[in-house]
Amino acid sequence: DVKVTQSSRYLVKRTGEKVFLECVQDMDHENMFWYRQDPGLGLRLIYFSYDVKMKEKGDIPEGYSVSREKKERFSLILESASTNQTSMYLCASSPGGGKAFFGQGTRLTVV
Amino acid sequence: KNEVEQSPQNLTAQEGEFITINCSYSVGISALHWLQQHPGGGIVSLFMLSSGKKKHGRLIATINIQEKHSSLHITASHPRDSAVYICAVSPGYSGGGADGLTFGKGTHLIIQP
């Protein structure tokens, strides 16, 4: 089975901290994605990557950056966490044009 | 940008009932996905379809490309089907890249025993 693993299920960070969310997939998928999910807004795309070292902005990239140094790993970085970044973060991967597989999610609280 | 609308937003039904969740979108797509999210956050992909109908156990997904509409049906519903069901679409243009999915806001389904 395809596995997409996010490093933490729950995180609490302070305003201004630099936060790293890690995602690893084990199926050699080209594409990887970071979404955030908020009540009433649904899932929204932050960034995606279609190859190592390649990244594209999604719908809401402000306040975030990403890193993809290896094919299996896609990291989301909050350079200076703010309270409005409190959310559920979901990572996904897919082969080109194929079905998406999601991680379990990281519930981040910024205090 | 594609607008994805789901209905109903909330649905409570009795065990054994036939369930239908609807999804419509505004712009041509390459594929439509039905996802299931249980409490706790994890999302599972149920179906990915670009035409016709797919069936897996008690779940059936249909899509009408001309009408830009899809339905997810659950037959003989069971309390373990209680979850949020999310419709998502892949953009219609081809040519590489990995543009992410556009999601509906989800349908919160509760099946009571």
Side-chain angles (χ1 to χ4, degrees), chain A residues 26-89:
Chain A
D26 65 359
M27 278 303 290
D28 203 38
H29 286 169
E30 295 90 351
N31 306 328
M32 295 189 75
F33 309 85
W34 275 107
Y35 299 94
R36 65 178 280 179
Q37 186 178 31
D38 300 288
L41 297 176
L43 279 142
R44 293 176 292 166
L45 179 66
I46 305 171
Y47 267 97
F48 63 91
S49 168
Y50 52 90
D51 203 350
V52 175
K53 296 192 188 294
M54 306 303 286
K55 59 186 179 185
E56 294 286 344
K57 293 180 180 178
D59 298 320
I60 49 164
E62 296 79 19
Y64 304 94
S65 62
V66 290
S67 172
R68 194 162 180 205
E69 296 297 318
K70 293 186 177 181
K71 193 174 186 180
E72 67 270 18
R73 186 181 296 270
F74 192 36
S75 303
L76 180 70
I77 304 153
L78 287 65
E79 295 290 341
S80 178
S82 63
T83 54
N84 63 12
Q85 292 178 308
T86 292
S87 186
M88 168 71 90
Y89 289 88

Side-chain angles (χ1 to χ4, degrees), chain A residues 6-14 17-22 34 76 78 81 85-89 105-111:
Chain A
Q6 292 182 228
S7 51
S8 305
R9 289 297 304 274
Y10 301 95
L11 270 181
V12 180
K13 296 291 181 181
R14 295 197 179 279
E17 275 193 74
K18 190 168 186 176
V19 182
F20 292 86
L21 303 183
E22 306 285 348
W34 275 107
L76 180 70
L78 287 65
Q85 292 178 308
T86 292
S87 186
M88 168 71 90
Y89 289 88
T106 297
R107 190 167 293 281
L108 173 68
T109 302
V110 182
V111 298

Side-chain angles (χ1 to χ4, degrees), chain B residues 33-113:
Chain B
H33 307 252
W34 281 104
L35 311 170
Q36 181 191 57
Q37 185 174 30
H38 280 287
I43 293 178
V44 173
S45 180
L46 299 174
F47 295 104
M48 175 178 157
L49 65 167
S50 53
S51 65
K53 179 164 77 173
K54 286 190 176 180
K55 185 175 190 292
H56 183 70
R58 296 180 293 105
L59 301 177
I60 303 164
T62 65
I63 189 168
N64 184 318
I65 296 294
Q66 287 73 31
E67 294 187 3
K68 297 186 177 63
H69 181 269
S70 175
S71 293
L72 176 68
H73 305 287
I74 305 174
T75 62
S77 59
H78 190 276
R80 65 175 174 266
D81 297 326
S82 299
V84 177
Y85 292 84
I86 303 169
C87 170
V89 299
S90 301
Y93 49 85
S94 58
D99 291 30
L101 301 173
T102 300
F103 297 84
K105 289 189 169 47
T107 295
H108 190 186
L109 174 66
I110 297 173
I111 305 295
Q112 295 178 334

